[in-house]
Amino acid sequence: MSDMQDALLLGTEGIKKTILHGGTGDIPKLPTGTKVTFHFRTQLCDDERTVVDDSKVVGTPMEIVIGNMFKLDVWETLLGSMRIGEVAEFWCDTVHTGVYPLVAKSMRRIAEGKDPVEWQMHTCGMANMFAYHTLGYDDLDELMREPQPLYFVLEFIRVQQPNEYNRESWALNDQERLKVVPVLHGQGNKLYKQGHYPEAVQKYKEAIICLKNVQTKEKAWEAPWLKLEKMANTLTLNYCQCLLRMEEYYEVIEHTSDIINQHPGVVKAYFLRGKAHKEVWNEAEARQDFSRVLELEPGMKKAVKKELAVLNMRMEEKNQEDRKRLGSTYNSNIV
């Protein structure tokens, strides 16, 4: 490895490289759209060098497409310094490792067969839109709470140019992504009508992530950004309708609240949030949301009336349950 390359990499703040096994040939060029296959091992910087993740243990190497939606940007930098067959250890400071737990969650879920959808691996930086309170893995929660430097040991296996492999939705450029959004939207709607809610959720989620990735390149609150925001909100609300059917009420409340905080005039967001509040017996919040719906859209009077009737019934049932429970407690205390 030339001094020039060494200096170039060390010139990136917060990265130190040690080659463990030299590779062959020149350092390959990695233009946008190139697919890189590599093994990785992630370790903490503690005395034991505790292993966090290891693709060799999982048995499948990692694949990323350069410049497209993969949100652990530092890996692109690291791979850009390596030759084919090279094994190198990189120490990366916290500035580069903050999103690692989100990326690791997606990779682990795929490895466990919980998320068979390949695109999620390539969009895991965006998946934090869908990560609530806990990542489901104690060690990753710990890293989220206290970001810290990490070691990455990478083994560069192969590189494929864009014309050498089939590209999927996560590997599209912005124009192609925008074309794929209505297709995914339509597929989601069809699956929803058929009652296939988890599958519809995946379509909506993929479409939202495509939009959000294009949107990050626009200036916030300007016309192109707002157009994408409107499309994303529509999809998010469809996504929430699926979640209501799947009884994921608290997640619906979080997503709709996000939209309402940014865009206080979106009627459907209040309506869906009201429905979710109704399901978890938040009576005051449900009534508030439904009255806001009527202020914004008096034409929804019939739908709101129906929801309020159900709310009254649910609250009555709950009060009866509570009275029964209190009664039995009281009776059991009588000596």
Side-chain angles (χ1 to χ4, degrees), residues 144-330:
M144 275 305 270
R145 272 193 301 274
E146 300 215 8
Q148 52 191 272
L150 294 170
Y151 282 107
F152 297 118
V153 178
L154 305 184
E155 178 186 342
F156 197 125
I157 300 171
R158 69 171 174 273
V159 60
Q160 291 164 284
Q161 296 308 317
N163 57 351
E164 295 171 347
Y165 65 91
N166 290 328
R167 295 156 81 234
E168 305 199 19
S169 71
W170 43 262
L172 304 175
N173 65 34
D174 288 351
Q175 285 312 105
E176 293 166 322
R177 272 185 212 145
L178 289 177
K179 278 187 194 142
V180 94
V181 166
V183 178
L184 291 165
H185 191 163
Q187 290 171 340
N189 289 358
K190 194 174 171 187
L191 287 161
Y192 177 83
K193 284 185 185 122
Q194 292 167 344
H196 300 311
Y197 305 119
E199 292 82 359
V201 154
Q202 294 301 352
K203 296 292 179 188
Y204 292 140
K205 202 192 266 195
E206 188 171 356
I208 293 163
I209 286 170
C210 279
L211 283 172
K212 290 285 177 191
N213 272 277
V214 178
Q215 194 186 24
T216 54
K217 292 161 194 157
E218 299 291 351
K219 204 161 189 268
W221 300 100
E222 290 193 353
W225 185 92
L226 280 168
K227 190 182 170 192
L228 295 166
E229 180 78 351
K230 202 173 174 185
M231 289 163 76
N233 285 347
T234 302
L235 284 157
T236 303
L237 292 169
N238 286 7
Y239 173 80
C240 286
Q241 273 181 287
C242 293
L243 293 179
L244 276 174
R245 298 292 186 133
M246 292 159 70
E247 301 181 4
E248 300 284 355
Y249 305 123
Y250 290 103
E251 195 175 335
V252 172
I253 291 167
E254 298 226 23
H255 281 304
T256 48
S257 298
D258 285 347
I259 290 177
I260 288 163
N261 292 339
Q262 294 272 343
H263 310 279
V266 182
V267 183
K268 192 175 174 184
Y270 287 103
F271 188 67
L272 294 179
R273 188 170 74 175
K275 283 173 79 113
H277 277 310
K278 175 195 76 184
E279 293 295 342
V280 293
W281 297 291
N282 293 343
E283 184 180 13
E285 291 88 339
R287 288 189 187 283
Q288 206 176 343
D289 279 343
F290 289 134
S291 66
R292 190 83 180 99
V293 169
L294 289 179
E295 282 169 29
L296 293 165
E297 188 58 76
M300 287 188 71
K301 194 172 179 180
K302 209 170 166 182
V304 167
K305 202 174 169 185
K306 192 174 148 192
E307 291 299 331
L308 289 172
V310 177
L311 175 65
N312 291 336
M313 200 168 70
R314 287 187 67 94
M315 294 315 298
E316 185 50 44
E317 281 169 11
K318 185 173 186 288
N319 292 338
Q320 279 176 3
E321 283 289 312
D322 291 348
R323 279 198 293 272
K324 240 185 256 171
R325 213 172 27 250
L326 276 172
S328 64
T329 311
Y330 178 70

Side-chain angles (χ1 to χ4, degrees), residues 24 26-30 33-39 59-66 79-80 82-87 118 154-161 164-166:
T24 53
D26 292 333
I27 291 174
K29 287 191 167 43
L30 303 178
T34 310
K35 184 191 269 193
V36 182
T37 306
F38 60 100
H39 271 299
T60 19
M62 183 71 190
E63 289 181 340
I64 65 171
V65 174
I66 299 295
L79 290 163
M82 297 178 75
R83 295 173 164 78
I84 306 284
E86 181 180 320
V87 181
E118 196 184 12
L154 305 184
E155 178 186 342
F156 197 125
I157 300 171
R158 69 171 174 273
V159 60
Q160 291 164 284
Q161 296 308 317
E164 295 171 347
Y165 65 91
N166 290 328

